[in-house]
Amino acid sequence: MNSFPIVVIGAGPAGLSAAIEAAKAGAKVLVIDENLKPGGQLFKQIHKFFGSRVHKAGVRGMDIGRQLLEETKNLGIEVWLDTEVCGIDQTKNIWAIRNKDTSVNIRAEKVIVASGATENAVRFPGWTLPGVMGAGAAQTMINTNHVLPGKKILMVGSGNVGVIVSYQLLQAGAEVVGIIEAAPQLGGYGVHTAKVRRAGVPFYTAHTIKRAMGDHCVAGAEIVGLDAGWNPIPGTEKVLKIDTICLATGLTPLTELAWIAGCEFTYIPELGGHVPIHDLHMESTVKGIYIAGDISGVEEASTAMEEGRLAGISAAADLGCYTAEEKRKRTLEIWDHLNALRCGQFGQKRRDAKDRILAVGKEMISWAVHV
Amino acid sequence: MGSPCLKTVGAPSLEELRNSPAFPKSEDFMRGPIAVIECIEEIPCNPCETSCRKGAIVIGDPITNLPRIDFEKCIGCGICVAACPGLAIYIKDYTYSDEEARISFPYEYLPLPQKGDVVQLIGRTGEMVCSGTVIGMQNSRQNDRTTIVTVAYPKNFFDEVISMKRIKNKS
Ligand SMILES: Cc1cc2nc3c(=O)[nH]c(=O)nc-3n(C[C@H](O)[C@H](O)[C@H](O)COP(=O)(O)OP(=O)(O)OC[C@H]3O[C@@H](n4cnc5c(N)ncnc54)[C@H](O)[C@@H]3O)c2cc1C
Ligand code: SF4
Ligand code: SF4
């Protein structure tokens, strides 16, 4: 049986940041990821990130990924790739499949679950045709695998994911025929929408997709206008000649492992749905199991890294690698960063939602030490 | 919401921009090359502020404040142009010559134009405005792969132009 003081599940920005903090404190850490390469979503983010200098703003996501991997290597953190975690029990026994063929068990004293999120699909006639895909999948194809999924794209959803992936599809040489948004207003940051708009991409607000056309693959899309009650307005249908439909219709936290481990959940629609209840140290309702990043509510890489740090510090401190005072000091510092990221017209909603999780956490997590 | 055009069309209107704290007044444009910031939404972002060595751009605390700029301090060096992840800043110079103005904007598409090329210049919604001549290309290490293209163009289109039409790959 393999045994590690701290096991981190997921090698995205949250998991790697957690592992780095714990290892810096001297804890022995194992990081597990199902992919062949670590980094989670970071390596397909070829654009410069937002945030402040402490959050590496202005640096491209892929370069933040490289920096994290370098640190991981320098600290001698063990990383198992091509390893899928299939179960955790409440005694923190982890069951995983390595290289798709070998079953392994790992005993952990502390587990940090940083499994990220999964893309939501919307259903419409023709949605199973080849050529309909998640925007994140399209982003992986162009930026990781250098394959253009199609030449003429319809993007469904105008949030940051929809507009950023549209911009990157343009950079990759595709034409984005339109971006539709069911709400009357665009969702993404204005600077992102302005970037694709000036490239000539039209936005259709208060529009949805009625059907994908084509026999064997996508050959077009019919879109339709929506009234104030989100009902289709007959006669406003329009056919767009496209060969690919990308869905950027939100993400849902990937929480199965936390469910299996027995964590209690709360429902927070603003953060993507059911999320594990946690305290200020990212510890769940199961002692010794921490969560960080998109699994605790879909946000951004910058917040995922901060939450990862919180989880890493508290797991290491709970093993005795940090003093209570150090833990308190670092935790407060990181909360300052998080609060700075969660303000303004876009962030405040997330901050309020996070406060609701913490409020439940305060009730349910009896051993939680409040800083 | 305060920016109806930005939130439906996708790009801000000139009117929305003129109501924002950083947008230059016409007298500011008489100074020579200055940074024009088209960032009118409260987002958690400040590389423009931290990149400017002249201290001309201020966001302050909280980080979601809109950028403000002091045109007395701005020298139009263009460092903030490549630093801005929103590609929301360009340099404009109304005083370039009697007939022509000059713009330096961020450009992240391939192929790149060449110095001397005549390119199509576009406005905020991608509409064609006029043509101009590429007079400079800047792609230092510090730009981190965001090329800054400088184009001279007729002054009467001064306000409308913000970028150039993408050059279509031949394939
Ligand atoms: C299309 C798109 C564009 C985005 N653009 C930006 C942006 O511009 N700026 C920004 O800040 N954020 C952006 N984000 C958000 C950002 O990528 C995420 O918030 C961030 O990656 C979350 O980090 P994470 O570590 O929680 O999850 P992830 O990065 O998703 O990493 C989770 C990792 O865990 C692995 N994993 C999950 N389950 C298991 C298991 N059972 N066994 C083993 N491994 C497992 C996954 O394979 C993955 O590698 C974007 C997201 C998407 C989808
Ligand atoms: S152009 Fe130069 S001086 Fe002016 S704001 Fe930008 S970085 Fe500062
Ligand atoms: S760096 Fe660009 S996007 Fe960010 S606040 Fe400054 S102007 Fe706006």
Side-chain angles (χ1 to χ4, degrees):
Chain A
M1 164 94 72
N2 302 283
S3 167
F4 284 85
I6 298 180
V7 175
V8 179
I9 303 168
L16 290 177
S17 302
I20 288 167
E21 286 303 332
K24 270 188 196 159
K28 192 161 181 280
V29 186
L30 168 69
V31 180
I32 302 178
D33 197 286
E34 62 198 353
N35 293 292
L36 298 173
K37 265 172 65 178
Q41 307 296 320
L42 280 177
F43 284 99
K44 60 188 201 194
Q45 314 298 357
I46 60 169
H47 53 284
K48 293 177 179 169
F49 270 27
F50 284 80
S52 69
R53 182 159 284 177
V54 282
H55 301 114
K56 302 190 197 290
V59 180
R60 295 180 191 276
M62 54 185 182
D63 295 324
I64 297 177
R66 272 187 209 117
Q67 291 170 11
L68 288 176
L69 287 190
E70 206 152 292
E71 256 187 284
T72 307
K73 208 170 134 205
N74 292 343
L75 287 163
I77 296 168
E78 194 162 341
V79 183
W80 290 3
L81 297 172
D82 199 359
T83 305
E84 188 183 353
V85 174
C86 304
I88 319 175
D89 67 20
Q90 297 205 2
T91 65
K92 295 181 225 35
N93 249 320
I94 295 171
W95 169 46
I97 306 288
R98 291 200 78 176
N99 309 316
K100 300 181 186 69
D101 59 12
T102 313
S103 180
V104 289
N105 283 295
I106 307 145
R107 262 218 67 76
E109 282 173 62
K110 307 282 172 198
V111 180
I112 299 171
V113 188
S115 48
T118 170
E119 296 195 89
N120 299 340
V122 286
R123 281 159 285 275
F124 47 85
W127 77 296
T128 55
L129 283 172
V132 181
M133 66 186 72
Q139 196 185 32
T140 306
M141 286 174 79
I142 49 176
N143 297 344
T144 310
N145 302 314
H146 302 225
V147 174
L148 206 54
K151 292 214 165 95
K152 288 168 150 287
I153 319 272
L154 170 67
M155 182 64 67
V156 180
S158 72
N160 279 334
V161 171
V163 283
I164 291 172
V165 175
S166 293
Y167 179 61
Q168 294 174 352
L169 282 161
L170 294 170
Q171 289 180 303
E175 184 190 340
V176 179
V177 174
I179 302 179
I180 60 172
E181 168 59 56
Q185 297 219 317
L186 301 173
Y189 289 170
V191 287
H192 287 318
T193 59
K195 227 186 280 187
V196 292
R197 181 67 241 213
R198 84 174 74 111
V201 177
F203 285 98
Y204 299 90
T205 52
H207 271 77
T208 190
I209 180 163
K210 197 168 164 190
R211 64 189 173 110
M213 299 148 82
D215 295 328
H216 307 291
C217 59
V218 174
E222 192 178 2
I223 62 169
V224 62
L226 298 173
D227 66 18
W230 301 62
N231 304 304
I233 308 169
T236 60
E237 292 84 358
K238 202 177 287 137
V239 171
L240 300 179
K241 239 191 102 39
I242 45 106
D243 57 26
T244 305
I245 299 171
C246 292
L247 306 176
T249 45
L251 297 152
T252 301
L254 202 58
T255 53
E256 288 86 343
L257 290 174
W259 284 109
I260 306 175
C263 299
E264 302 272 356
F265 278 68
T266 180
Y267 184 69
I268 310 278
E270 301 93 312
L271 294 174
H274 286 97
V275 292
I277 295 164
H278 61 80
D279 66 7
L280 280 170
H281 306 284
M282 303 313 294
E283 192 162 9
S284 74
T285 54
V286 177
K287 203 167 167 52
I289 295 187
Y290 309 77
I291 54 162
D294 279 354
I295 181 186
S296 78
V298 173
E299 291 190 90
E300 295 182 330
S302 43
T303 45
M305 289 187 279
E306 297 292 0
E307 287 193 346
R309 285 184 195 118
L310 281 176
I313 287 166
S314 56
D318 296 350
L319 288 172
C321 300
Y322 279 119
T323 65
E325 185 44 36
E326 274 167 341
K327 173 177 168 180
R328 200 184 94 89
K329 201 172 137 257
R330 301 283 321 269
T331 302
L332 285 175
E333 251 169 47
I334 296 173
W335 272 101
D336 279 347
H337 293 169
L338 277 170
N339 289 338
L341 287 170
R342 292 174 181 149
C343 67
Q345 71 194 64
F346 289 91
Q348 190 62 42
K349 209 169 69 185
R350 288 188 276 122
R351 171 145 186 202
D352 295 343
K354 278 282 172 183
D355 282 347
R356 282 187 354 247
I357 303 180
L358 290 175
V360 191
K362 225 171 184 165
E363 303 261 306
M364 305 219 12
I365 304 173
S366 53
W367 64 84
V369 187
H370 305 295
V371 287
Chain B
M1 282 252 240
S3 320
C5 199
L6 180 64
K7 297 318 276 180
T8 54
V9 174
S13 64
L14 255 178
E15 196 194 336
E16 283 169 1
L17 289 168
R18 287 191 176 127
N19 287 331
S20 74
F23 203 72
K25 308 255 177 303
S26 37
E27 60 264 31
D28 297 319
F29 282 123
M30 298 304 157
R31 295 175 166 273
I34 53 167
V36 184
I37 307 179
E38 300 201 356
C39 177
I40 62 171
E41 239 175 14
E42 295 178 341
I43 54 175
C45 184
N46 72 358
C48 50
E49 176 182 39
T50 50
S51 69
C52 176
R53 291 173 202 159
K54 297 282 162 191
I57 304 179
V58 176
I59 286 183
D61 190 24
I63 185 181
T64 46
N65 285 344
L66 292 184
R68 295 174 171 273
I69 177 162
D70 181 346
F71 294 111
E72 304 249 333
K73 292 186 182 157
C74 173
I75 55 163
C77 67
I79 288 175
C80 56
V81 174
C84 166
L87 305 194
I89 311 181
Y90 50 81
I91 306 294
K92 260 186 189 171
D93 182 4
Y94 190 77
T95 66
Y96 178 61
S97 77
D98 284 346
E99 273 88 45
E100 286 186 313
R102 193 182 65 162
I103 180 169
S104 303
F105 52 82
Y107 189 78
E108 293 187 329
Y109 298 104
L110 291 173
L112 289 169
Q114 303 291 314
K115 214 165 151 177
D117 282 359
V118 172
V119 293
Q120 300 295 312
L121 297 177
I122 54 174
R124 296 177 180 79
T125 58
E127 79 281 11
M128 216 73 81
V129 178
C130 63
S131 52
T133 311
V134 177
I135 54 173
M137 301 277 291
Q138 201 261 79
N139 203 349
S140 69
R141 222 190 129 117
Q142 183 174 251
N143 287 22
D144 188 14
R145 292 155 282 184
T146 303
T147 305
I148 298 178
V149 180
T150 301
V151 180
Y153 67 103
K155 258 185 182 169
N156 45 329
F157 299 110
F158 184 71
D159 285 334
E160 286 78 18
V161 166
I162 63 156
S163 189
M164 63 175 266
K165 193 173 162 56
R166 263 182 306 146
I167 303 170
K168 279 270 157 62
N169 235 325
K170 282 183 199 79
S171 63

